C-alpha cells in the first residue's frame, strides 16, 4: 500500500466525526483520529502503523451497543462500516449453505440479500457461483442470531457474541460462525476455522507459527470448568469485543427459515 493512501485512510478527527465518539449507550468519548477501511489489507496497514506509534485503537461497527463498547477513550477509531460486502457462498457437504461476509454488513442488509437471493457476485470464484445457482433453488435460509437490533453489524454481533431473543433455541452468535479472518494486535493476519486450533493447559497454537497462553481465570465466567482443554481459539475473538484483534471476514452457517415465527409481549 502506498504511503499516500495510508495517510488518506487515517484522518484527523473533525467536527463531522462527532457521532463516532458515542454509541447507543449515550456515553461520549474522545479520539484523535479515525479511519474507514474497505478491505483487509487496509485494516492491517492501519494496525501496523498505529502499533509503531503506540496509539490505542477502538474498533467500531454500527455503534448499536448499549454498554459503551464502541466508545473510544483516546487514540484511534477503526470503523468497519464500509466493509459490507458478501464475498461468496459455499455449498456444504451436507447440502447446507454458508456465506462469506465482511464485518460491516448489517443484519438487515444480510437478511435482505438472503431473502431476495440477489447478491453482487462480482469477483466470486467458480465454486461460489455454482453455490449461488443451487442457493436460488433451495428453501429460504437465514442466519439465526437476532440481537433485536436489525441495524447491528455482523462483526459487532459476533465480536460481542450476542444472543438476543432467539438464543433460547439457537444459542449465541458464536455457534453460527464456521470461520474467521482476524488482524491481531501486531498486525498479523490469522485464518481460523472452528475446531482447528484448541487450547490445552491454557496454551493454543496460532496459525502459521507461535502460540498464545491465557490465564483460565479470565474466562471462568464464559468457559466450562475444563477450560484448559478444548477451548476453541475462534471463541477467543468471538466475544472479546475486539480486544485481541479485528475480525475482517466471517463465514456464517445458514439455516432453513422456520415456517412461522411468534413473538409474545
Amino acid at each position: 500500500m502506498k504511503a499516500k493512501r495510508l495517510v488518506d485512510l487515517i484522518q484527523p478527527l473533525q467536527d463531522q466525526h462527532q457521532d463516532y465518539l458515542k454509541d447507543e449507550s449515550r456515553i461520549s468519548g474522545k479520539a484523535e483520529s479515525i479511519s474507514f477501511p474497505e478491505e483487509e489489507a487496509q485494516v492491517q496497514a492501519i494496525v501496523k502503523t498505529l502499533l509503531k506509534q503506540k496509539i490505542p485503537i477502538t474498533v467500531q461497527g454500527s455503534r448499536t451497543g448499549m454498554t459503551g463498547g464502541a466508545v473510544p477513550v483516546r487514540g484511534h477509531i477503526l470503523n468497519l462500516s464500509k466493509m459490507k460486502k458478501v464475498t461468496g457462498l459455499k455449498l456444504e457437504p451436507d447440502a447446507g449453505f454458508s456465506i462469506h461476509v465482511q464485518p460491516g454488513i448489517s443484519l438487515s442488509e444480510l437478511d435482505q440479500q438472503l431473502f431476495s437471493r440477489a447478491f453482487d457476485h462480482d469477483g466470486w470464484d467458480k465454486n461460489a457461483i455454482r453455490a449461488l445457482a443451487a442457493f436460488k433453488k433451495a428453501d429460504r435460509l437465514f442466519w439465526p442470531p437476532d440481537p433485536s437490533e436489525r441495524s447491528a453489524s455482523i462483526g459487532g454481533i459476533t465480536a460481542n457474541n450476542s444472543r438476543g431473543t432467539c438464543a433460547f433455541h439457537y444459542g449465541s452468535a458464536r455457534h453460527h460462525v464456521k470461520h474467521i479472518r482476524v488482524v491481531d494486535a501486531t498486525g498479523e493476519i490469522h485464518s481460523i476455522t472452528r475446531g482447528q486450533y484448541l487450547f490445552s493447559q491454557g496454551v493454543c497454537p496460532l496459525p502459521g507459527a507461535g502460540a498464545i497462553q491465557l490465564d483460565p481465570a479470565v474466562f471462568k465466567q464464559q468457559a466450562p470448568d475444563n477450560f484448559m482443554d478444548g477451548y476453541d481459539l475462534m471463541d477467543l475473538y468471538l466475544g472479546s469485543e475486539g480486544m485481541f484483534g479485528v475480525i475482517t471476514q466471517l463465514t456464517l452457517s445458514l439455516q432453513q427459515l422456520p415456517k412461522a415465527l411468534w413473538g409474545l409481549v
Side-chain angles (χ1 to χ4, degrees):
M1 181 176 294
K2 296 181 180 179
K4 183 178 179 180
R5 178 58 177 159
L6 184 58
V7 170
D8 292 340
L9 280 173
I10 301 177
Q11 310 169 34
L13 200 78
Q14 301 179 24
D15 289 343
Q16 66 264 32
H17 300 134
Q18 292 303 304
D19 283 347
Y20 296 99
L21 296 177
K22 56 188 177 182
D23 60 11
E24 288 300 318
S25 69
R26 304 308 178 189
I27 300 171
S28 184
K30 59 181 180 180
E32 290 71 53
S33 60
I34 191 169
S35 61
F36 299 91
E38 298 180 19
E39 57 187 37
E40 182 180 75
Q42 294 176 349
V43 173
Q44 184 181 38
I46 292 166
V47 170
K48 285 189 172 183
T49 298
L50 297 179
L51 175 65
K52 292 178 182 178
Q53 300 173 10
K54 297 183 179 180
I55 296 175
I57 298 172
T58 299
V59 184
Q60 287 184 349
S62 299
R63 297 177 292 115
T64 60
M66 303 292 288
T67 61
V71 177
V73 176
R74 61 186 178 89
H76 181 77
I77 299 170
L78 182 62
N79 186 285
L80 302 177
S81 59
K82 292 189 177 181
M83 294 180 65
K84 53 174 55 183
K85 294 179 181 177
V86 173
T87 57
L89 278 167
K90 182 180 179 181
L91 180 60
E92 300 290 349
D94 62 358
F97 290 88
S98 56
I99 188 167
H100 309 301
V101 302
Q102 291 183 316
I105 188 171
S106 71
L107 187 57
S108 61
E109 290 168 336
L110 177 62
D111 286 344
Q112 181 182 10
Q113 294 183 59
L114 289 174
F115 294 166
S116 67
R117 307 173 193 258
F119 302 94
D120 179 3
H121 51 76
D122 185 36
W124 288 19
D125 61 27
K126 292 181 180 180
N127 290 333
I129 295 297
R130 284 195 291 267
L132 177 58
F135 179 82
K136 290 182 177 180
K137 300 176 182 179
D139 293 332
R140 181 172 287 186
L141 302 173
F142 82 127
W143 191 57
D146 182 2
S148 305
E149 177 50 71
R150 310 304 292 179
S151 64
S153 69
I154 299 301
I157 292 170
T158 53
N160 288 278
N161 190 33
S162 299
R163 295 179 59 84
T165 55
C166 295
F168 292 103
H169 181 72
Y170 291 109
S172 60
R174 65 166 54 125
H175 298 297
H176 306 281
V177 181
K178 296 175 67 69
H179 178 89
I180 58 173
R181 287 179 63 85
V182 177
V183 176
D184 72 11
T186 68
E188 296 302 313
I189 297 174
H190 299 303
S191 181
I192 305 170
T193 299
R194 181 167 295 285
Q196 186 177 14
Y197 301 98
L198 301 176
F199 279 85
S200 177
Q201 298 184 349
V203 179
C204 182
L206 291 173
I212 185 171
Q213 183 171 4
L214 298 173
D215 181 355
V218 175
F219 296 87
K220 187 175 181 180
Q221 298 300 320
Q222 61 175 313
D225 293 336
N226 61 342
F227 163 80
M228 287 294 202
D229 296 299
Y231 191 72
D232 199 296
L233 178 63
M234 183 185 293
D235 293 329
L236 184 66
Y237 297 98
L238 302 181
S240 61
E241 301 184 28
M243 290 187 292
F244 292 99
V246 185
I247 299 172
T248 55
Q249 181 170 296
L250 306 99
T251 300
L252 311 176
S253 300
L254 302 178
Q255 292 192 27
Q256 186 172 340
L257 186 71
K259 293 181 179 180
L261 295 174
W262 287 80
L264 303 178
V265 179

